[in-house]
Structures are given as structure tokens and as C-alpha cells.
Amino acid sequence: MRTLLLSDIHANYPALKAVLADADGEFERAWVLGDTVGYGADPSDCIAAVRDLDATVISGNHELAAIGRISAEDFNPVAREAIEWTANALDDDEREYLQSLPPKQVVDRFTLVHGSPRDPVWEYLGTGPAAVENLEHFQTQACAVGHSHVPFLVRVTADGVAGQVKHSPGQRISLGDDRLYLNPGSVGQPRDRDPRASYALLDPDAWEVEFRRVEYDLALAQTRIREAGLPEFLAERLSIGV
Ligand code: ZN
């Protein structure tokens, strides 16, 4: 089944809308890798859209903080302010929904986590030693992660070296035989200096992935953040993709 891979939507509804329009008709199921809320001004619209997808969803650190399961004290001041705003914006039903999300799920050949298999809440995965160390913490061939807001495909080869394949939007990349980590990047707050919304389409039968970037109504997302009284930096960073 062709799979839509989303992560770190971060309450940016204009970005999510653009991604769903772009991917329309090209997937049969969706996986959402955490941080659907936090930073942005439209958590309720984003939660509703994700629920509509009937997606496999896991929790990220921003969900866990918004429902009080981890302390907002562990976040930087800007993130903390956004978490407190988000906690107030959620209704009981949304809070209950976020509480129901597991930190880890296994689907077919993939383990889904937000951060890393050994620390789904906090650890950032990339090309560093953590990619090798985490191999013993999941059983499937592949692991889908979010959290860093940077799209990547990291293969861990037989000699234990983690190598990164740079994503190339619009091109289908074979996932190969090695164990690997896949990050679709962030829908709502990309941090690789490309402000366009980031996502991926996975074809598990062909064992291929395609990374995509989509323009969206960034000015609207910024206006919503400013109107909500969220920190100005959260609006500014969307323009530069950091
Ligand atoms: Zn995030």
C-alpha cells in the first residue's frame, strides 16, 4: 500500500493542507510520526485532519508536553511558551486523543518512532553513532523517524558505518537491503533552510521512497501565529526554514 509519511506538522494547517492536496490520490494509508501540535497556531485543525486520514499516529515530545506527560521545563523558553499556549487551546476530546497515541508502532517492515527507537521522545537521529547504536533497539529492517525536521535516508551498511543519502525531491529512491532510517522532514517547520513543507511517499512493494517539497501559504501561517500571540520567532523562522 502506498504510504504517505508525515512528521512534525507542528500545528501549521496551511502547510498540511498543501501537502494533502499535493499527495491527493497517491497514497492508500498514512503514517504520522509525532509533533502534530506545538509551535503553530492551528493544533485543532491539524489534529482533525490527521484523524480524518485514519493514519497510524505516534506521539512526539510536543504532544507529551501539551498533555502534561513530560515537563515543559525541559524545553527552551520559546518552545515552552508554545506548549503552554497549545495546552490551553486543546479541548478534552483532543487531549484524550493525544493521550491515546503510543510512542512506538510497528507496521510491516517499519518501526515508527518520533525521536529514536531507544529514546522515542528526545533523541535526534542522523548520521552520527546513534544510528548504529539504535539498531539493537528495533527489530524491523527500517525505522521511520521525525524530530530533527530534516529529511533524510540513512542506511547502515554491513561494516557498521552510517551513510546518508541526500534526499532529492521528485525522484524515487530504492531503499535497498541494508537497515535504514527514513525521515520525511517536517511539514510545518522545516529546518534545512528550505521553507517549503516536507513530506515523503513510500512504496513498500517497490521498496522505494520519494521525498517531496511543497510551497504553501506561509504568510497565512505566520499571520495565524502572530494573531495567536505566540512568540514572533516562530513566525519568522518559517520564512527561512530553520
Ligand atoms: Zn518537532
Side-chain angles (χ1 to χ4, degrees), residues 7-10 34-39 61-62 114 124 146-149 186 189 191:
S7 192
D8 297 277
I9 296 164
H10 280 297
D35 281 7
T36 300
V37 303
Y39 294 136
N61 49 321
H62 280 260
H114 181 63
Y124 288 91
H147 196 40
S148 67
H149 298 206
S186 169
Q189 195 195 79
R191 292 183 190 158

Side-chain angles (χ1 to χ4, degrees), residues 15-27:
L16 178 58
K17 238 169 65 175
V19 163
L20 294 177
D22 189 68
D24 188 37
E26 296 190 76
F27 62 94

